[in-house]
Protein backbone atom coordinates (compact mmCIF):
# COMPACT_ATOMS: atom_id res chain seq x y z
CA UNK A 1 0.00 0.00 0.00
CA UNK A 2 1.29 3.45 -0.93
CA UNK A 3 1.49 5.72 2.12
CA UNK A 4 0.04 9.17 1.45
CA UNK A 5 1.99 12.14 2.80
CA UNK A 6 -0.56 14.11 4.87
CA UNK A 7 1.25 17.43 4.33
CA UNK A 8 1.15 16.96 0.56
CA UNK A 9 -2.55 16.17 0.73
CA UNK A 10 -3.28 19.25 2.83
CA UNK A 11 -1.32 21.42 0.38
CA UNK A 12 -3.49 20.12 -2.43
CA UNK A 13 -6.58 20.94 -0.39
CA UNK A 14 -5.35 24.46 0.46
CA UNK A 15 -4.78 25.25 -3.21
CA UNK A 16 -8.05 23.65 -4.31
CA UNK A 17 -9.91 25.68 -1.67
CA UNK A 18 -8.65 28.87 -3.34
CA UNK A 19 -10.20 27.75 -6.61
CA UNK A 20 -13.44 26.88 -4.83
CA UNK A 21 -13.59 30.31 -3.21
CA UNK A 22 -12.82 31.98 -6.54
CA UNK A 23 -16.29 30.91 -7.68
CA UNK A 24 -17.84 33.03 -4.91
CA UNK A 25 -17.98 36.38 -6.69
CA UNK A 26 -20.26 39.38 -7.01
CA UNK A 27 -19.51 39.70 -10.75
CA UNK A 28 -20.25 36.63 -12.87
CA UNK A 29 -17.35 35.63 -15.08
CA UNK A 30 -14.64 37.20 -12.95
CA UNK A 31 -13.33 37.12 -9.38
CA UNK A 32 -14.56 40.25 -7.62
CA UNK A 33 -15.37 40.17 -3.93
CA UNK A 34 -15.36 43.49 -2.13
CA UNK A 35 -15.89 44.22 1.55
CA UNK A 36 -19.09 42.61 2.89
CA UNK A 37 -20.50 41.93 -0.57
CA UNK A 38 -23.02 39.03 -0.65
CA UNK A 39 -20.43 36.34 -1.53
CA UNK A 40 -18.65 37.09 1.74
CA UNK A 41 -21.33 35.06 3.52
CA UNK A 42 -20.59 32.09 1.27
CA UNK A 43 -16.86 32.40 1.98
CA UNK A 44 -17.60 32.44 5.70
CA UNK A 45 -19.79 29.35 5.38
CA UNK A 46 -17.14 27.47 3.39
CA UNK A 47 -14.37 28.21 5.88
CA UNK A 48 -16.64 27.59 8.86
CA UNK A 49 -17.34 24.08 7.58
CA UNK A 50 -13.61 23.39 7.35
CA UNK A 51 -13.12 24.79 10.86
CA UNK A 52 -15.86 22.49 12.16
CA UNK A 53 -13.99 19.51 10.66
CA UNK A 54 -10.97 20.54 12.70
CA UNK A 55 -12.93 20.97 15.91
CA UNK A 56 -12.32 24.72 16.02
CA UNK A 57 -14.68 27.26 17.50
CA UNK A 58 -15.83 29.88 15.02
CA UNK A 59 -17.06 33.43 15.33
CA UNK A 60 -17.52 36.41 13.02
CA UNK A 61 -16.43 39.60 14.75
CA UNK A 62 -18.01 43.04 14.38
CA UNK A 63 -15.84 43.86 11.35
CA UNK A 64 -16.90 40.71 9.50
CA UNK A 65 -13.64 38.83 10.12
CA UNK A 66 -13.96 35.06 10.42
CA UNK A 67 -12.00 33.79 13.42
CA UNK A 68 -11.52 30.05 13.94
CA UNK A 69 -9.87 29.14 17.22
CA UNK A 70 -8.14 26.22 18.87
CA UNK A 71 -7.82 26.98 22.58
CA UNK A 72 -4.51 26.67 24.37
CA UNK A 73 -3.62 24.32 27.21
CA UNK A 74 -4.70 26.87 29.83
CA UNK A 75 -6.97 29.95 29.91
CA UNK A 76 -3.98 32.28 30.15
CA UNK A 77 -2.02 30.67 27.29
CA UNK A 78 -0.93 33.17 24.59
CA UNK A 79 -2.27 33.01 21.04
CA UNK A 80 -0.49 32.49 17.74
CA UNK A 81 -2.46 34.07 14.87
CA UNK A 82 -2.32 32.81 11.27
CA UNK A 83 -4.21 34.18 8.28
CA UNK A 84 -4.76 36.77 5.58
CA UNK A 85 -7.68 38.38 3.72
CA UNK A 86 -10.57 37.08 1.60
CA UNK A 87 -11.62 40.25 -0.26
CA UNK A 88 -10.26 40.93 -3.76
CA UNK A 89 -9.57 43.69 -6.23
CA UNK A 90 -11.92 43.81 -9.25
CA UNK A 91 -11.29 41.02 -11.77
CA UNK A 92 -8.72 39.43 -9.49
CA UNK A 93 -6.80 36.20 -9.37
CA UNK A 94 -7.63 33.26 -7.14
CA UNK A 95 -4.68 33.33 -4.72
CA UNK A 96 -3.96 36.86 -3.47
CA UNK A 97 -4.90 36.88 0.22
CA UNK A 98 -7.05 33.78 0.07
CA UNK A 99 -4.10 31.39 -0.13
CA UNK A 100 -2.83 32.82 3.15
CA UNK A 101 -6.14 31.88 4.74
CA UNK A 102 -6.33 28.35 3.34
CA UNK A 103 -2.70 27.66 4.26
CA UNK A 104 -3.47 28.77 7.81
CA UNK A 105 -6.26 26.19 7.92
CA UNK A 106 -3.91 23.58 6.46
CA UNK A 107 -1.32 24.28 9.18
CA UNK A 108 -4.00 23.84 11.83
CA UNK A 109 -5.07 20.58 10.19
CA UNK A 110 -1.50 19.28 10.04
CA UNK A 111 -1.03 20.01 13.76
CA UNK A 112 -4.48 18.93 14.87
CA UNK A 113 -3.15 16.16 17.09
CA UNK A 114 0.05 17.93 18.14
CA UNK A 115 0.10 19.46 21.65
CA UNK A 116 0.93 23.18 21.54
CA UNK A 117 1.77 25.50 24.45
CA UNK A 118 -0.34 28.27 22.89
CA UNK A 119 -3.73 28.78 21.30
CA UNK A 120 -4.10 28.98 17.51
CA UNK A 121 -6.45 31.50 15.92
CA UNK A 122 -7.03 31.45 12.17
CA UNK A 123 -8.00 34.79 10.66
CA UNK A 124 -9.90 35.45 7.42
CA UNK A 125 -9.92 39.23 7.24
CA UNK A 126 -13.01 40.72 5.64
CA UNK A 127 -11.14 43.57 3.94
CA UNK A 128 -7.57 44.43 3.01
CA UNK A 129 -7.56 45.80 -0.53
CA UNK A 130 -9.24 49.17 0.07
CA UNK A 131 -11.46 48.84 -3.01
CA UNK A 132 -14.84 49.79 -1.57
CA UNK A 133 -13.93 52.64 0.78
CA UNK A 134 -10.57 53.76 -0.58
CA UNK A 135 -8.79 52.86 2.68
CA UNK A 136 -7.32 49.38 3.18
CA UNK A 137 -7.05 47.04 6.17
CA UNK A 138 -10.55 47.49 7.58
CA UNK A 139 -10.44 43.88 8.78
CA UNK A 140 -7.08 43.91 10.54
CA UNK A 141 -7.61 47.42 11.93
CA UNK A 142 -10.47 45.98 13.98
CA UNK A 143 -8.00 43.72 15.80
CA UNK A 144 -5.76 46.65 16.72
CA UNK A 145 -8.56 48.98 17.80
CA UNK A 146 -7.93 51.48 14.98
CA UNK A 147 -11.05 50.94 12.87
CA UNK A 148 -13.54 53.16 14.73
CA UNK A 149 -12.22 56.48 13.26
CA UNK A 150 -12.97 55.15 9.75
CA UNK A 151 -16.65 54.35 10.37
CA UNK A 152 -17.83 57.55 8.69
CA UNK A 153 -16.00 56.92 5.40
CA UNK A 154 -18.39 56.47 2.46
CA UNK A 155 -18.24 54.32 -0.64
CA UNK A 156 -19.23 55.41 -4.15
CA UNK A 157 -22.91 54.89 -3.32
CA UNK A 158 -22.78 57.03 -0.20
CA UNK A 159 -22.87 54.06 2.20
CA UNK A 160 -20.62 54.52 5.22
CA UNK A 161 -18.45 51.83 6.77
CA UNK A 162 -20.84 51.90 9.72
CA UNK A 163 -23.81 51.51 7.38
CA UNK A 164 -22.14 48.62 5.54
CA UNK A 165 -21.52 46.79 8.81
CA UNK A 166 -25.10 47.30 9.94
CA UNK A 167 -26.54 46.24 6.57
CA UNK A 168 -24.56 43.02 6.85
CA UNK A 169 -26.07 42.38 10.27
CA UNK A 170 -23.08 43.45 12.34
CA UNK A 171 -23.08 45.87 15.27
CA UNK A 172 -20.35 48.56 15.21
CA UNK A 173 -20.85 49.03 18.94
CA UNK A 174 -19.29 45.60 19.39
CA UNK A 175 -16.02 46.52 17.64
CA UNK A 176 -14.09 46.68 20.95
CA UNK A 177 -14.74 42.95 21.23
CA UNK A 178 -12.84 42.38 17.97
CA UNK A 179 -9.60 43.71 19.45
CA UNK A 180 -6.82 41.29 20.28
CA UNK A 181 -7.18 40.33 23.91
CA UNK A 182 -4.77 38.54 26.17
CA UNK A 183 -1.13 37.70 25.46
CA UNK A 184 -0.03 37.10 21.87
CA UNK A 185 2.73 34.93 20.50
CA UNK A 186 2.52 36.80 17.19
CA UNK A 187 1.10 36.72 13.66
CA UNK A 188 2.25 34.81 10.59
CA UNK A 189 0.87 35.60 7.15
CA UNK A 190 1.42 33.48 4.06
CA UNK A 191 1.09 35.41 0.79
CA UNK A 192 2.04 35.16 -2.85
CA UNK A 193 4.97 37.47 -3.58
CA UNK A 194 3.28 39.42 -6.41
CA UNK A 195 6.75 40.16 -7.78
CA UNK A 196 9.71 38.55 -9.60
CA UNK A 197 12.37 38.08 -6.88
CA UNK A 198 11.68 34.47 -5.89
CA UNK A 199 11.25 33.34 -9.47
CA UNK A 200 14.59 34.92 -10.38
CA UNK A 201 16.21 33.22 -7.38
CA UNK A 202 14.73 29.84 -8.22
CA UNK A 203 13.12 29.66 -4.78
CA UNK A 204 9.65 28.46 -3.85
CA UNK A 205 9.37 30.61 -0.73
CA UNK A 206 11.03 33.62 0.84
CA UNK A 207 11.14 35.36 4.21
CA UNK A 208 9.97 38.97 4.23
CA UNK A 209 12.46 41.26 5.98
CA UNK A 210 10.28 44.35 5.93
CA UNK A 211 7.19 45.84 4.36
CA UNK A 212 8.27 48.94 2.48
CA UNK A 213 7.15 52.35 3.64
CA UNK A 214 5.39 54.49 1.09
CA UNK A 215 4.25 58.01 0.32
CA UNK A 216 1.45 58.94 -2.06
CA UNK A 217 1.13 62.48 -3.38
CA UNK A 218 -0.83 64.59 -5.84
CA UNK A 219 1.04 67.26 -7.78
CA UNK A 220 -0.87 70.06 -9.52
CA UNK A 221 1.08 72.09 -12.09
CA UNK A 222 -0.71 75.25 -13.28
CA UNK A 223 0.61 77.37 -16.14
CA UNK A 224 -1.26 79.10 -18.96
CA UNK A 225 -3.21 77.55 -21.81
CA UNK A 226 -2.59 79.25 -25.14
CA UNK A 227 -2.51 78.65 -28.88
CA UNK A 228 -0.04 75.97 -29.93
CA UNK A 229 0.75 77.67 -33.23
CA UNK A 230 1.06 81.32 -32.24
CA UNK A 231 2.86 81.12 -28.87
CA UNK A 232 6.68 81.04 -29.25
CA UNK A 233 8.49 78.47 -27.16
CA UNK A 234 10.18 81.08 -24.99
CA UNK A 235 6.80 82.54 -24.01
CA UNK A 236 5.08 79.33 -23.03
CA UNK A 237 3.95 78.28 -19.55
CA UNK A 238 3.45 74.62 -20.34
CA UNK A 239 2.21 72.75 -17.28
CA UNK A 240 2.39 69.35 -18.94
CA UNK A 241 6.03 69.80 -19.92
CA UNK A 242 6.90 70.44 -16.26
CA UNK A 243 4.92 67.39 -15.14
CA UNK A 244 6.49 65.23 -17.83
CA UNK A 245 9.98 66.23 -16.74
CA UNK A 246 9.00 65.29 -13.19
CA UNK A 247 7.78 61.84 -14.26
CA UNK A 248 11.09 61.09 -15.99
CA UNK A 249 13.07 62.43 -13.02
CA UNK A 250 11.16 60.06 -10.72
CA UNK A 251 12.01 57.11 -12.93
CA UNK A 252 15.67 58.14 -13.23
CA UNK A 253 16.11 58.56 -9.48
CA UNK A 254 14.43 55.24 -8.65
CA UNK A 255 16.67 53.44 -11.13
CA UNK A 256 19.74 54.90 -9.44
CA UNK A 257 18.85 54.11 -5.79
CA UNK A 258 18.86 50.40 -4.86
CA UNK A 259 15.50 49.22 -3.59
CA UNK A 260 13.66 52.46 -4.40
CA UNK A 261 10.54 52.37 -6.56
CA UNK A 262 8.79 55.51 -7.77
CA UNK A 263 5.71 55.58 -9.97
CA UNK A 264 3.76 58.35 -11.66
CA UNK A 265 0.63 56.32 -12.19
CA UNK A 266 -1.82 59.03 -13.27
CA UNK A 267 -1.30 62.15 -15.38
CA UNK A 268 -3.98 64.37 -16.84
CA UNK A 269 -3.71 67.60 -18.84
CA UNK A 270 -6.18 70.40 -19.51
CA UNK A 271 -7.76 71.65 -21.64
CA UNK A 272 -6.74 68.53 -23.58
CA UNK A 273 -6.76 69.73 -27.17
CA UNK A 274 -4.11 68.90 -29.75
CA UNK A 275 -3.59 72.55 -30.69
CA UNK A 276 -3.63 74.05 -27.18
CA UNK A 277 -0.66 74.31 -24.81
CA UNK A 278 -1.68 72.56 -21.57
CA UNK A 279 -2.48 75.11 -18.88
CA UNK A 280 -2.87 72.49 -16.16
CA UNK A 281 -1.32 69.11 -15.49
CA UNK A 282 -2.11 66.87 -12.57
CA UNK A 283 -0.13 63.77 -11.64
CA UNK A 284 0.38 61.32 -8.82
CA UNK A 285 3.52 59.98 -7.17
CA UNK A 286 3.87 56.68 -5.34
CA UNK A 287 7.32 56.20 -3.79
CA UNK A 288 8.43 53.23 -1.66
CA UNK A 289 11.52 51.87 0.12
CA UNK A 290 12.21 49.54 3.04
CA UNK A 291 14.22 52.25 4.85
CA UNK A 292 12.33 55.41 5.78
CA UNK A 293 15.35 57.77 5.60
CA UNK A 294 16.13 56.63 2.06
CA UNK A 295 12.53 57.16 0.99
CA UNK A 296 12.33 60.57 2.68
CA UNK A 297 15.57 61.72 1.06
CA UNK A 298 14.42 60.60 -2.36
CA UNK A 299 11.09 62.36 -1.92
CA UNK A 300 12.82 65.60 -0.93
CA UNK A 301 14.96 65.35 -4.06
CA UNK A 302 11.97 64.75 -6.33
CA UNK A 303 9.91 67.59 -4.88
CA UNK A 304 12.87 69.94 -5.31
CA UNK A 305 13.08 68.77 -8.94
CA UNK A 306 9.35 69.37 -9.41
CA UNK A 307 9.62 72.91 -8.09
CA UNK A 308 12.60 73.57 -10.36
CA UNK A 309 10.83 72.21 -13.45
CA UNK A 310 7.81 74.34 -12.65
CA UNK A 311 9.87 77.49 -11.98
CA UNK A 312 11.79 77.14 -15.23
CA UNK A 313 8.46 77.35 -17.09
CA UNK A 314 6.64 79.98 -15.04
CA UNK A 315 4.33 77.27 -13.69
CA UNK A 316 3.01 77.10 -10.13
CA UNK A 317 3.10 73.84 -8.19
CA UNK A 318 0.82 72.61 -5.40
CA UNK A 319 1.67 69.35 -3.63
CA UNK A 320 -0.88 67.39 -1.60
CA UNK A 321 0.45 64.58 0.58
CA UNK A 322 -2.22 61.87 0.57
CA UNK A 323 -0.50 59.14 2.56
CA UNK A 324 2.71 58.57 4.51
CA UNK A 325 3.17 54.99 5.72
CA UNK A 326 6.38 54.12 7.59
CA UNK A 327 8.26 50.97 6.74
CA UNK A 328 7.44 48.01 8.96
CA UNK A 329 10.30 45.61 9.75
CA UNK A 330 9.19 42.05 10.43
CA UNK A 331 9.94 40.55 13.85
CA UNK A 332 13.57 39.28 13.93
CA UNK A 333 12.73 36.24 16.08
CA UNK A 334 9.97 35.13 13.73
CA UNK A 335 12.18 35.72 10.70
CA UNK A 336 14.84 33.53 12.30
CA UNK A 337 12.23 30.88 13.01
CA UNK A 338 11.08 30.88 9.40
CA UNK A 339 14.65 30.54 8.17
CA UNK A 340 15.25 27.60 10.54
CA UNK A 341 12.02 25.97 9.40
CA UNK A 342 12.89 26.45 5.74
CA UNK A 343 16.32 24.90 6.25
CA UNK A 344 14.75 21.98 8.07
CA UNK A 345 12.49 21.16 5.12
CA UNK A 346 15.13 21.85 2.47
CA UNK A 347 13.97 25.24 1.16
CA UNK A 348 16.22 28.18 0.24
CA UNK A 349 13.88 30.92 1.56
CA UNK A 350 15.91 34.06 0.70
CA UNK A 351 15.11 37.35 2.40
CA UNK A 352 13.13 39.88 0.39
CA UNK A 353 11.25 43.13 0.90
CA UNK A 354 7.52 43.44 0.35
CA UNK A 355 6.76 46.44 -1.83
CA UNK A 356 3.03 46.00 -1.20
CA UNK A 357 1.16 46.55 2.03
CA UNK A 358 -0.29 43.59 3.95
CA UNK A 359 -2.30 42.89 7.09
CA UNK A 360 0.94 41.91 8.83
CA UNK A 361 1.99 45.56 8.89
CA UNK A 362 -1.15 46.45 10.87
CA UNK A 363 -0.82 43.64 13.40
CA UNK A 364 2.88 44.44 13.82
CA UNK A 365 1.75 47.41 15.93
CA UNK A 366 0.46 45.08 18.65
CA UNK A 367 2.45 41.83 18.32
CA UNK A 368 5.45 40.25 16.57
CA UNK A 369 4.58 39.71 12.90
CA UNK A 370 6.18 37.91 9.99
CA UNK A 371 5.41 36.93 6.41
CA UNK A 372 6.33 33.97 4.24
CA UNK A 373 6.10 34.70 0.52
CA UNK A 374 5.39 32.12 -2.18
CA UNK A 375 6.77 32.44 -5.70
CA UNK A 376 4.50 34.25 -8.19
CA UNK A 377 4.98 32.79 -11.68
CA UNK A 378 5.78 35.60 -14.11
CA UNK A 379 5.29 38.09 -11.22
CA UNK A 380 1.61 38.25 -12.11
CA UNK A 381 -0.93 39.31 -9.48
CA UNK A 382 -4.17 41.32 -9.25
CA UNK A 383 -4.96 39.62 -12.55
CA UNK A 384 -7.14 36.65 -13.56
CA UNK A 385 -4.04 34.69 -14.62
CA UNK A 386 -2.42 34.98 -11.18
CA UNK A 387 -1.00 31.60 -10.17
CA UNK A 388 0.51 29.61 -7.31
CA UNK A 389 2.28 26.39 -8.27
CA UNK A 390 1.31 23.24 -6.34
CA UNK A 391 4.93 22.54 -5.40
CA UNK A 392 5.32 26.04 -3.97
CA UNK A 393 2.13 25.73 -1.94
CA UNK A 394 3.42 22.47 -0.49
CA UNK A 395 6.78 24.07 0.29
CA UNK A 396 5.10 26.95 2.09
CA UNK A 397 2.93 24.58 4.12
CA UNK A 398 5.94 22.50 5.16
CA UNK A 399 7.78 25.63 6.26
CA UNK A 400 4.71 26.86 8.13
CA UNK A 401 4.21 23.58 9.99
CA UNK A 402 7.91 23.38 10.89
CA UNK A 403 7.82 27.01 12.05
CA UNK A 404 4.91 26.38 14.43
CA UNK A 405 6.54 23.19 15.73
CA UNK A 406 9.81 25.06 16.33
CA UNK A 407 7.93 27.87 18.04
CA UNK A 408 6.17 25.36 20.26
CA UNK A 409 9.46 23.68 21.16
CA UNK A 410 10.78 27.07 22.24
CA UNK A 411 7.77 27.69 24.42
CA UNK A 412 6.24 30.25 22.04
CA UNK A 413 9.33 32.46 21.86
Amino acid sequence: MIEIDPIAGLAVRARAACLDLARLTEVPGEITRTFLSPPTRDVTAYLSAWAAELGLSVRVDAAGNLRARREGPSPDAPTLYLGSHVDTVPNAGAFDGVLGVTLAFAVAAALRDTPLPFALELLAFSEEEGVRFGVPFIGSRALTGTLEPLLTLEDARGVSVRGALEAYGLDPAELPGARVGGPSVGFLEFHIEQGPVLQAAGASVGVVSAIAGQDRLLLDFVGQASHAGTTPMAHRRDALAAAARFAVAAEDLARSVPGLVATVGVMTARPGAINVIPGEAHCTLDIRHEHDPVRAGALDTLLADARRFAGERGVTLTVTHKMAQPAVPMAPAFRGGLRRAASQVGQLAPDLVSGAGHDAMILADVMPAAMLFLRSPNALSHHPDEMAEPADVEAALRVGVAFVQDLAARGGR
Side-chain angles (χ1 to χ4, degrees), residues 133 147-155 158-163 165:
F133 289 96
L147 175 55
E148 285 89 338
L150 305 182
L151 292 177
T152 58
L153 289 177
E154 294 185 350
D155 64 13
V159 178
S160 67
V161 175
R162 180 185 298 277
L165 294 172

Side-chain angles (χ1 to χ4, degrees), residues 24 39 160 255:
L24 306 178
S160 67
R255 286 180 179 272

Side-chain angles (χ1 to χ4, degrees), residues 291-310:
H291 298 302
D292 291 335
V294 175
R295 189 183 79 256
L299 181 57
D300 287 345
T301 297
L302 288 178
L303 291 180
D305 286 344
R307 287 188 287 269
R308 176 165 57 86
F309 298 143

Side-chain angles (χ1 to χ4, degrees), residues 114-164:
T114 302
L116 298 173
F118 41 73
L120 275 183
E121 187 162 319
L122 315 181
L123 302 169
F125 291 119
S126 58
E127 201 281 340
E128 186 260 9
E129 297 287 4
V131 172
R132 182 171 178 182
F133 289 96
V135 174
F137 310 121
I138 287 175
S140 50
R141 288 178 198 268
L143 273 71
T144 62
T146 55
L147 175 55
E148 285 89 338
L150 305 182
L151 292 177
T152 58
L153 289 177
E154 294 185 350
D155 64 13
R157 297 182 179 180
V159 178
S160 67
V161 175
R162 180 185 298 277

